[in-house]
């Protein structure tokens, strides 16, 4: 599994956790991790990461 695929899989799991209505502290940690993933994706695949976050 490529690095990009691993990051996308992790992002998907975190987004699922956000949908389960976590507490404020957990939500903040999930959002922090998602921001890190977005940064990593933007460095690995310039231009593609921004379009994957549109909901």
């Amino acid at each position: 599994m490529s690095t990009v695929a691993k990051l996308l899989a992790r992002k998907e799991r975190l987004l699922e956790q956000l949908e389960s209505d976590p507490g404020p502290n957990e939500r903040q940690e999930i959002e922090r991790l998602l921001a890190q993933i977005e940064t990593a994706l933007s460095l690995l695949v310039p231009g593609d990461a921004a379009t994957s976050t549109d909901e």
Side-chain angles (χ1 to χ4, degrees):
M1 184 180 264
S2 73
T3 301
V4 172
K6 288 178 185 178
L7 287 168
L8 290 173
R10 186 171 180 207
K11 178 181 174 181
E12 183 63 32
R13 287 191 303 272
L14 289 169
L15 289 172
E16 288 172 3
Q17 286 181 341
L18 274 181
E19 291 176 0
S20 69
D21 196 29
N25 292 337
E26 188 178 359
R27 175 176 290 279
Q28 189 174 32
E29 178 65 11
I30 291 169
E31 289 173 350
R32 185 185 68 78
L33 292 170
L34 284 170
Q36 287 180 342
I37 291 170
E38 287 302 319
T39 300
L41 286 170
S42 69
L43 293 172
L44 290 171
V45 187
D48 288 349
T51 59
S52 67
T53 60
D54 295 341
E55 293 181 315

